Amino acid sequence: MDWLERQLRGGLEEAGVELDEVDLAIIRIVNALYGPALRALDKADLSDVWPETVLDPSRPPTAR
Amino acid sequence: MTHPQDLSLRHQASHLATGELDPRELLAATLARIDERDGALNSIAASFADESARMLAQAPPGPLYGVPVAIKDMFQLPWRGPRDGSAEEHLPAGESALYRRLRDAGAVIVAVTNMHLYGAGTTGEVSAYGPVANPWDPERCGGGSSGGSAAAVGARLVGGAVGTDGGGSVRLPAAYCGITGLKPTFAATPVEGYTHAYTTMGVAGPMCRDAADTRLLAETLIDRPLPKGDGSRLRAGVVSSPFWDDLDPDVERSCRATLEASGWPVEDVTLPGAEHALIASVLRLTMESLPAIRLDQLQELDPLTRALIKYELVIPARSLMRADRVRTLLRRSAEAAFDSVDLLVWPTVPAPAPRIDNPTIELPSGLLPADVGNVRQAGFGNLCGLPGISTPVGQHPSGVPIGLQLHARWGGEALLLDAAEQIERATGRRHVDAVPVIAR
């Protein structure tokens, strides 16, 4: 069992959701597509960007 | 006489106003065309002749008096609860705010349109009502999630339809089906009676054959005038990376040629954070919709949707919080970009509509699920809350349309429509007036 399967089985068991082999096969494909982007997001330097405390997407951001 | 649904939305409205067109005859002809033409398309989830006739009988004078329109299956109607592309109602029957706006403008809702299940895809082939086909090639996807609205307009079943756009779901199917689709600024249209009223990404918008029709329907949906201006003197910004990267060569060629033909000065623009727009969009969209999904019904879903939900359930919260930082960064980047340009421009979709039986696209980097490429192009506008429009600009050698996407600053819907009209002029209207295979 690799890290992805461990993470899935652990997390889904907690939520009371079963994981079968079809799910796992599809998720491996999805993770191959989005995994690199997720890892790049985790490594990005966003230290000087704080989320807007009162997000209003109908208007420009409150500060540049 | 031509079939009245071959008239544009605005010509239907003006002919009804002058009495050249009888609203009861128009309604009957529209329902007959849906019956006759939608079989291969599957764009309509339900039509309801009695309720439409009642709506017409009670229609007040207004800008859309007697005009038949369709609406995506995400809004309450007094006679039907919305189903989100699934088999069961997600809200009870009732009066959504958009229903009231259409009713008060005199419009007649003739159909609810098919859509990608839960709004969770850009291809439209997953739905309890079966896949939505493309009017240019019924073996190809009509798009999603507002694919039924796009295909119904493209096939001339109706002159205008309402879609919703949380991750490109108006713009992407508009591009696939060769029509014009406007995603208004976030919250420009009301969410009361909308199944995804919780969203910070989605907004309802008009889908029509061209910009002038889109302007007419948008004014009703947004409930404010969108005065016509001069679209010839705008400044266009091109964001080379990532939005002009890794495109189907014919898509790129058509979009660049159109931009050149527009006559607009073009400036290269960099948007810090844009390299993370895809994953930030996917995270925000999936996390917002997860609480609405009933985990005890997971086993009833198709294998792909079920697996995606299970994957989403274990994504770390840290990633979502970082996505929200990217969102702020992108919103700041966009605001700064609009200091020097009026429009941000790139292809709506990286490749044309894929086949229904294989919804993948071929890009220079290889084969990719269409959703991944499509959300890369569209999610930026949803994260920022900006208005965006897709306008048809070409035909791919495979036979299906190509769309160009434009964004403007917050509240810039009228300017986007001016820009789309400028593109129509620059291309001699040959793409907005092109008739799809199914309508010939």
Side-chain angles (χ1 to χ4, degrees), chain B residues 26-110:
Chain B
L26 174 59
L27 174 58
T30 303
L31 292 167
R33 176 162 275 192
I34 289 171
D35 281 347
E36 164 210 332
R37 197 174 272 182
D38 195 48
L41 271 183
N42 209 21
S43 69
I44 303 296
S47 58
F48 18 71
D50 291 346
E51 287 83 357
S52 302
R54 198 170 308 127
M55 214 174 160
L56 174 59
Q58 297 169 354
L64 295 174
Y65 170 75
V67 176
V69 295
I71 189 166
K72 189 177 183 182
D73 199 1
M74 300 181 94
F75 296 93
Q76 288 179 307
L77 301 175
W79 57 88
R80 189 178 194 278
R83 301 181 186 189
D84 260 14
S86 75
E88 55 292 318
E89 286 186 350
H90 285 224
L91 290 173
E95 286 191 2
S96 57
L98 277 187
Y99 161 78
R100 286 198 293 267
R101 285 197 177 169
L102 290 166
R103 178 197 64 192
D104 294 349
V108 177
I109 298 174
V110 288

Side-chain angles (χ1 to χ4, degrees), chain B residues 223-250:
Chain B
D223 196 26
R224 68 177 167 89
L226 297 170
K228 201 168 169 174
D230 181 0
S232 68
R233 297 173 185 278
L234 302 173
R235 302 162 298 166
V238 166
V239 185
S240 295
S241 181
F243 304 122
W244 288 85
D245 286 341
D246 201 22
L247 301 169
D248 173 283
D250 290 292

Side-chain angles (χ1 to χ4, degrees), chain A residues 18 23 31 41 44 52 64, chain B residues 310-311 322 331-332 339:
Chain A
E18 291 179 7
D23 296 330
N31 191 58
L41 177 66
E52 291 167 85
R64 288 192 182 185
Chain B
K310 291 180 182 181
Y311 182 56
R322 294 181 69 77
R331 282 167 46 74
R332 290 178 184 164
D339 284 345

